[in-house]
Short mmCIF file of all heavy atoms in Angstrom, two decimals:
data_model
loop_
_atom_site.label_atom_id
_atom_site.label_comp_id
_atom_site.label_asym_id
_atom_site.label_seq_id
_atom_site.Cartn_x
_atom_site.Cartn_y
_atom_site.Cartn_z
N SER A 220 23.09 -20.17 -7.00
CA SER A 220 22.97 -20.64 -5.65
C SER A 220 21.61 -21.22 -5.40
O SER A 220 20.63 -20.97 -6.08
CB SER A 220 23.15 -19.35 -4.68
OG SER A 220 22.15 -18.44 -4.92
N TYR A 221 21.66 -22.16 -4.50
CA TYR A 221 20.43 -22.92 -4.16
C TYR A 221 20.07 -22.63 -2.66
O TYR A 221 20.85 -22.52 -1.80
CB TYR A 221 20.65 -24.42 -4.27
CG TYR A 221 20.65 -24.83 -5.79
CD1 TYR A 221 21.82 -24.82 -6.51
CD2 TYR A 221 19.52 -25.26 -6.47
CE1 TYR A 221 21.89 -25.13 -7.78
CE2 TYR A 221 19.52 -25.65 -7.82
CZ TYR A 221 20.66 -25.54 -8.45
OH TYR A 221 20.77 -25.97 -9.82
N VAL A 222 18.75 -22.58 -2.44
CA VAL A 222 18.27 -22.40 -1.03
C VAL A 222 17.47 -23.58 -0.59
O VAL A 222 16.77 -24.29 -1.40
CB VAL A 222 17.42 -21.14 -0.93
CG1 VAL A 222 18.30 -19.90 -1.09
CG2 VAL A 222 16.26 -21.13 -1.98
N LYS A 223 17.51 -23.84 0.76
CA LYS A 223 16.82 -25.06 1.20
C LYS A 223 15.45 -24.68 1.58
O LYS A 223 15.05 -23.46 1.80
CB LYS A 223 17.64 -25.62 2.37
CG LYS A 223 17.72 -24.62 3.56
CD LYS A 223 18.54 -25.27 4.72
CE LYS A 223 18.67 -24.29 5.98
NZ LYS A 223 19.43 -24.86 7.02
N MET A 224 14.62 -25.69 1.81
CA MET A 224 13.24 -25.53 2.25
C MET A 224 13.19 -25.00 3.68
O MET A 224 14.10 -25.26 4.41
CB MET A 224 12.45 -26.86 2.14
CG MET A 224 12.31 -27.40 0.77
SD MET A 224 11.39 -28.95 0.70
CE MET A 224 9.77 -28.41 1.33
N LEU A 225 12.11 -24.29 4.01
CA LEU A 225 12.01 -23.86 5.36
C LEU A 225 11.43 -24.96 6.27
O LEU A 225 10.65 -25.80 5.78
CB LEU A 225 11.02 -22.61 5.41
CG LEU A 225 11.33 -21.41 4.58
CD1 LEU A 225 10.22 -20.38 4.74
CD2 LEU A 225 12.68 -20.82 5.03
N ASP A 226 11.77 -24.96 7.52
CA ASP A 226 11.14 -25.70 8.50
C ASP A 226 11.03 -24.94 9.72
O ASP A 226 11.68 -23.93 9.98
CB ASP A 226 11.88 -27.08 8.79
CG ASP A 226 13.26 -26.88 9.31
OD1 ASP A 226 13.53 -26.12 10.30
OD2 ASP A 226 14.21 -27.47 8.69
N LYS A 227 10.14 -25.38 10.66
CA LYS A 227 9.89 -24.59 11.86
C LYS A 227 11.13 -24.41 12.79
O LYS A 227 11.28 -23.31 13.46
CB LYS A 227 8.74 -25.26 12.66
CG LYS A 227 7.40 -25.14 11.95
CD LYS A 227 6.31 -25.70 12.82
CE LYS A 227 4.99 -25.59 12.10
NZ LYS A 227 3.81 -26.06 12.89
N GLN A 228 11.96 -25.40 12.77
CA GLN A 228 13.17 -25.36 13.60
C GLN A 228 14.13 -24.19 13.29
O GLN A 228 14.88 -23.69 14.06
CB GLN A 228 13.94 -26.66 13.65
CG GLN A 228 14.82 -26.83 14.79
CD GLN A 228 14.24 -26.66 16.15
OE1 GLN A 228 13.10 -26.96 16.43
NE2 GLN A 228 15.14 -26.09 17.09
N LEU A 229 14.09 -23.78 12.00
CA LEU A 229 14.98 -22.70 11.45
C LEU A 229 14.65 -21.44 12.26
O LEU A 229 15.50 -20.51 12.48
CB LEU A 229 14.65 -22.46 10.02
CG LEU A 229 15.48 -21.34 9.36
CD1 LEU A 229 16.95 -21.66 9.27
CD2 LEU A 229 14.96 -21.12 7.95
N GLY A 230 13.49 -21.32 12.82
CA GLY A 230 13.06 -20.11 13.48
C GLY A 230 13.52 -20.10 14.96
O GLY A 230 13.34 -19.01 15.64
N ASN A 231 14.15 -21.14 15.44
CA ASN A 231 14.65 -21.13 16.89
C ASN A 231 15.88 -20.17 16.93
O ASN A 231 17.02 -20.51 16.50
CB ASN A 231 14.97 -22.57 17.23
CG ASN A 231 15.27 -22.71 18.73
OD1 ASN A 231 15.25 -21.68 19.50
ND2 ASN A 231 15.47 -23.89 19.21
N ILE A 232 15.79 -19.03 17.58
CA ILE A 232 16.72 -17.98 17.55
C ILE A 232 17.97 -18.38 18.29
O ILE A 232 17.96 -18.83 19.51
CB ILE A 232 16.19 -16.66 18.15
CG1 ILE A 232 14.99 -16.24 17.30
CG2 ILE A 232 17.28 -15.59 18.20
CD1 ILE A 232 14.21 -15.12 17.98
N ASP A 233 19.15 -18.28 17.62
CA ASP A 233 20.44 -18.50 18.30
C ASP A 233 20.98 -17.10 18.64
O ASP A 233 21.47 -16.38 17.81
CB ASP A 233 21.33 -19.20 17.37
CG ASP A 233 22.74 -19.42 17.88
OD1 ASP A 233 23.02 -19.00 19.06
OD2 ASP A 233 23.62 -19.94 17.13
N PHE A 234 20.94 -16.72 19.95
CA PHE A 234 21.35 -15.46 20.41
C PHE A 234 22.91 -15.29 20.40
O PHE A 234 23.35 -14.20 20.68
CB PHE A 234 20.74 -15.09 21.76
CG PHE A 234 19.29 -14.86 21.75
CD1 PHE A 234 18.43 -15.80 22.31
CD2 PHE A 234 18.81 -13.76 21.19
CE1 PHE A 234 17.09 -15.51 22.23
CE2 PHE A 234 17.47 -13.45 21.24
CZ PHE A 234 16.61 -14.36 21.73
N ASN A 235 23.58 -16.38 20.01
CA ASN A 235 25.06 -16.18 19.73
C ASN A 235 25.39 -15.49 18.47
O ASN A 235 26.46 -15.01 18.24
CB ASN A 235 25.78 -17.47 19.74
CG ASN A 235 25.70 -18.17 21.17
OD1 ASN A 235 26.07 -17.49 22.10
ND2 ASN A 235 25.36 -19.38 21.23
N LYS A 236 24.34 -15.45 17.53
CA LYS A 236 24.47 -14.72 16.26
C LYS A 236 24.27 -13.21 16.59
O LYS A 236 23.86 -12.77 17.62
CB LYS A 236 23.39 -15.22 15.30
CG LYS A 236 23.64 -16.62 14.78
CD LYS A 236 22.77 -16.99 13.68
CE LYS A 236 23.10 -18.37 13.23
NZ LYS A 236 22.19 -18.72 12.06
N SER A 237 24.62 -12.41 15.58
CA SER A 237 24.54 -10.97 15.80
C SER A 237 23.09 -10.45 15.74
O SER A 237 22.20 -11.16 15.19
CB SER A 237 25.38 -10.24 14.69
OG SER A 237 24.69 -10.32 13.43
N ALA A 238 22.93 -9.26 16.34
CA ALA A 238 21.57 -8.68 16.39
C ALA A 238 21.16 -8.36 14.89
O ALA A 238 19.90 -8.61 14.61
CB ALA A 238 21.53 -7.37 17.08
N VAL A 239 22.04 -8.07 14.00
CA VAL A 239 21.75 -7.85 12.57
C VAL A 239 21.19 -9.13 11.97
O VAL A 239 20.16 -9.15 11.28
CB VAL A 239 22.94 -7.30 11.80
CG1 VAL A 239 22.68 -7.41 10.25
CG2 VAL A 239 23.32 -5.94 12.25
N GLU A 240 21.88 -10.25 12.20
CA GLU A 240 21.40 -11.53 11.60
C GLU A 240 20.11 -11.97 12.16
O GLU A 240 19.18 -12.48 11.45
CB GLU A 240 22.46 -12.61 11.89
CG GLU A 240 23.79 -12.44 11.23
CD GLU A 240 24.77 -13.51 11.63
OE1 GLU A 240 25.32 -13.37 12.73
OE2 GLU A 240 25.03 -14.45 10.80
N ILE A 241 19.87 -11.77 13.46
CA ILE A 241 18.63 -12.23 14.10
C ILE A 241 17.47 -11.31 13.65
O ILE A 241 16.35 -11.78 13.33
CB ILE A 241 18.76 -12.12 15.65
CG1 ILE A 241 19.83 -13.06 16.17
CG2 ILE A 241 17.44 -12.42 16.32
CD1 ILE A 241 20.19 -12.99 17.58
N GLU A 242 17.69 -10.04 13.49
CA GLU A 242 16.66 -9.19 13.01
C GLU A 242 16.19 -9.51 11.65
O GLU A 242 14.98 -9.57 11.28
CB GLU A 242 17.08 -7.75 13.09
CG GLU A 242 16.06 -6.64 12.77
CD GLU A 242 15.86 -6.33 11.38
OE1 GLU A 242 16.82 -6.59 10.51
OE2 GLU A 242 14.69 -5.82 10.98
N ARG A 243 17.16 -9.88 10.77
CA ARG A 243 16.83 -10.31 9.41
C ARG A 243 16.10 -11.67 9.42
O ARG A 243 15.12 -11.88 8.69
CB ARG A 243 18.08 -10.51 8.53
CG ARG A 243 18.74 -9.13 8.30
CD ARG A 243 19.79 -9.22 7.14
NE ARG A 243 20.68 -10.37 7.24
CZ ARG A 243 22.04 -10.33 7.22
NH1 ARG A 243 22.61 -9.13 7.12
NH2 ARG A 243 22.72 -11.41 7.22
N LEU A 244 16.45 -12.57 10.32
CA LEU A 244 15.74 -13.84 10.42
C LEU A 244 14.29 -13.64 10.89
O LEU A 244 13.39 -14.31 10.30
CB LEU A 244 16.44 -14.75 11.46
CG LEU A 244 15.82 -16.14 11.68
CD1 LEU A 244 16.16 -17.02 10.59
CD2 LEU A 244 16.30 -16.71 13.05
N ILE A 245 14.08 -12.78 11.76
CA ILE A 245 12.68 -12.44 12.23
C ILE A 245 11.84 -11.95 11.05
O ILE A 245 10.70 -12.43 10.90
CB ILE A 245 12.72 -11.39 13.33
CG1 ILE A 245 13.33 -12.02 14.60
CG2 ILE A 245 11.34 -10.83 13.62
CD1 ILE A 245 13.74 -10.94 15.68
N ARG A 246 12.38 -11.03 10.27
CA ARG A 246 11.64 -10.60 9.16
C ARG A 246 11.41 -11.60 8.08
O ARG A 246 10.44 -11.76 7.42
CB ARG A 246 12.29 -9.36 8.52
CG ARG A 246 12.20 -8.06 9.40
CD ARG A 246 12.73 -6.84 8.71
NE ARG A 246 14.11 -6.81 8.60
CZ ARG A 246 14.83 -6.92 7.50
NH1 ARG A 246 14.16 -7.04 6.29
NH2 ARG A 246 16.14 -6.86 7.41
N GLY A 247 12.49 -12.39 7.88
CA GLY A 247 12.47 -13.45 6.75
C GLY A 247 11.50 -14.66 7.13
O GLY A 247 11.04 -15.37 6.13
N LEU A 248 11.19 -14.82 8.35
CA LEU A 248 10.31 -15.87 8.74
C LEU A 248 8.86 -15.40 9.15
O LEU A 248 8.16 -16.13 9.73
CB LEU A 248 10.96 -16.78 9.87
CG LEU A 248 12.19 -17.41 9.53
CD1 LEU A 248 12.70 -18.19 10.70
CD2 LEU A 248 12.21 -18.29 8.30
N ASN A 249 8.56 -14.10 8.79
CA ASN A 249 7.36 -13.46 9.10
C ASN A 249 6.53 -13.50 7.83
O ASN A 249 6.97 -12.83 6.87
CB ASN A 249 7.57 -12.17 9.66
CG ASN A 249 6.31 -11.36 10.05
OD1 ASN A 249 5.19 -11.79 9.75
ND2 ASN A 249 6.45 -10.24 10.67
N PRO A 250 5.45 -14.14 7.66
CA PRO A 250 4.56 -14.68 8.76
C PRO A 250 4.68 -16.22 9.08
O PRO A 250 4.25 -16.69 10.05
CB PRO A 250 3.14 -14.45 8.18
CG PRO A 250 3.34 -14.70 6.75
CD PRO A 250 4.71 -14.10 6.39
N TRP A 251 5.52 -16.98 8.28
CA TRP A 251 5.68 -18.34 8.52
C TRP A 251 7.12 -18.79 8.23
O TRP A 251 7.66 -18.30 7.18
CB TRP A 251 4.72 -19.20 7.67
CG TRP A 251 4.70 -20.63 8.17
CD1 TRP A 251 3.87 -21.19 9.11
CD2 TRP A 251 5.47 -21.71 7.70
NE1 TRP A 251 4.18 -22.47 9.30
CE2 TRP A 251 5.16 -22.90 8.44
CE3 TRP A 251 6.54 -21.80 6.79
CZ2 TRP A 251 5.81 -24.12 8.25
CZ3 TRP A 251 7.18 -23.04 6.56
CH2 TRP A 251 6.82 -24.15 7.25
N PRO A 252 7.77 -19.57 9.04
CA PRO A 252 7.21 -20.29 10.17
C PRO A 252 7.33 -19.50 11.55
O PRO A 252 6.93 -19.97 12.55
CB PRO A 252 8.04 -21.55 10.23
CG PRO A 252 9.34 -21.18 9.68
CD PRO A 252 9.07 -20.14 8.62
N SER A 253 7.88 -18.29 11.46
CA SER A 253 8.10 -17.38 12.50
C SER A 253 9.39 -17.70 13.43
O SER A 253 9.83 -18.80 13.46
CB SER A 253 6.90 -17.31 13.43
OG SER A 253 6.82 -18.41 14.32
N ALA A 254 9.92 -16.59 13.85
CA ALA A 254 11.16 -16.80 14.74
C ALA A 254 10.73 -16.84 16.22
O ALA A 254 9.81 -16.13 16.60
CB ALA A 254 12.17 -15.53 14.47
N PHE A 255 11.37 -17.66 17.00
CA PHE A 255 10.95 -17.82 18.26
C PHE A 255 12.13 -18.11 19.30
O PHE A 255 13.14 -18.55 18.91
CB PHE A 255 9.92 -19.00 18.37
CG PHE A 255 10.48 -20.29 18.08
CD1 PHE A 255 10.96 -21.19 19.00
CD2 PHE A 255 10.51 -20.76 16.73
CE1 PHE A 255 11.49 -22.40 18.73
CE2 PHE A 255 11.07 -21.96 16.41
CZ PHE A 255 11.58 -22.80 17.39
N THR A 256 11.79 -18.00 20.53
CA THR A 256 12.71 -18.41 21.67
C THR A 256 11.78 -18.95 22.70
O THR A 256 10.62 -19.34 22.40
CB THR A 256 13.58 -17.24 22.09
OG1 THR A 256 14.48 -17.75 23.11
CG2 THR A 256 12.80 -16.08 22.75
N SER A 257 12.18 -19.00 23.95
CA SER A 257 11.28 -19.46 25.06
C SER A 257 11.55 -18.54 26.27
O SER A 257 12.66 -18.06 26.52
CB SER A 257 11.64 -20.89 25.46
OG SER A 257 12.95 -21.16 25.77
N LEU A 258 10.49 -18.37 26.92
CA LEU A 258 10.46 -17.63 28.20
C LEU A 258 9.91 -18.54 29.31
O LEU A 258 8.77 -18.91 29.32
CB LEU A 258 9.61 -16.33 28.10
CG LEU A 258 9.47 -15.51 29.37
CD1 LEU A 258 10.82 -15.00 29.89
CD2 LEU A 258 8.49 -14.35 29.18
N GLY A 259 10.81 -19.07 30.16
CA GLY A 259 10.44 -20.07 31.12
C GLY A 259 10.05 -21.37 30.24
O GLY A 259 10.85 -21.78 29.46
N GLN A 260 8.91 -21.84 30.50
CA GLN A 260 8.46 -23.11 29.77
C GLN A 260 7.63 -22.75 28.55
O GLN A 260 7.05 -23.72 27.95
CB GLN A 260 7.70 -23.99 30.67
CG GLN A 260 8.49 -24.39 31.94
CD GLN A 260 9.68 -25.31 31.52
OE1 GLN A 260 9.65 -26.17 30.73
NE2 GLN A 260 10.95 -24.89 32.08
N LYS A 261 7.44 -21.54 28.19
CA LYS A 261 6.53 -21.13 27.16
C LYS A 261 7.28 -20.57 25.95
O LYS A 261 8.34 -19.93 26.02
CB LYS A 261 5.56 -20.07 27.61
CG LYS A 261 4.56 -20.60 28.61
CD LYS A 261 3.51 -19.56 28.91
CE LYS A 261 2.40 -20.21 29.77
NZ LYS A 261 1.28 -19.21 30.08
N THR A 262 6.77 -20.93 24.74
CA THR A 262 7.36 -20.36 23.49
C THR A 262 7.05 -18.87 23.40
O THR A 262 6.00 -18.42 23.63
CB THR A 262 6.79 -21.18 22.24
OG1 THR A 262 7.12 -22.51 22.41
CG2 THR A 262 7.31 -20.57 20.99
N LEU A 263 8.05 -18.14 22.98
CA LEU A 263 7.92 -16.65 22.78
C LEU A 263 8.30 -16.36 21.37
O LEU A 263 9.43 -16.40 20.93
CB LEU A 263 8.85 -15.88 23.73
CG LEU A 263 8.72 -14.41 23.65
CD1 LEU A 263 7.34 -13.95 24.21
CD2 LEU A 263 9.76 -13.77 24.57
N LYS A 264 7.29 -16.03 20.58
CA LYS A 264 7.57 -15.61 19.17
C LYS A 264 7.91 -14.17 19.10
O LYS A 264 7.30 -13.37 19.69
CB LYS A 264 6.29 -15.88 18.28
CG LYS A 264 5.97 -17.44 18.07
CD LYS A 264 4.78 -17.59 17.13
CE LYS A 264 4.57 -19.02 16.86
NZ LYS A 264 3.45 -19.19 15.88
#
Side-chain angles (χ1 to χ4, degrees):
S220 61
Y221 286 85
V222 290
K223 62 182 180 181
M224 293 180 66
L225 299 180
D226 60 55
K227 291 184 178 180
Q228 195 56 34
L229 179 66
N231 192 355
I232 299 171
D233 178 3
F234 287 107
N235 292 313
K236 292 186 176 181
S237 70
V239 169
E240 291 175 288
I241 296 169
E242 189 273 339
R243 293 196 313 232
L244 180 74
I245 291 166
R246 289 188 288 112
L248 299 184
N249 181 350
W251 191 90
S253 74
F255 65 92
T256 183
S257 57
L258 177 60
Q260 298 300 311
K261 293 189 175 182
T262 298
L263 182 68
K264 291 185 178 182

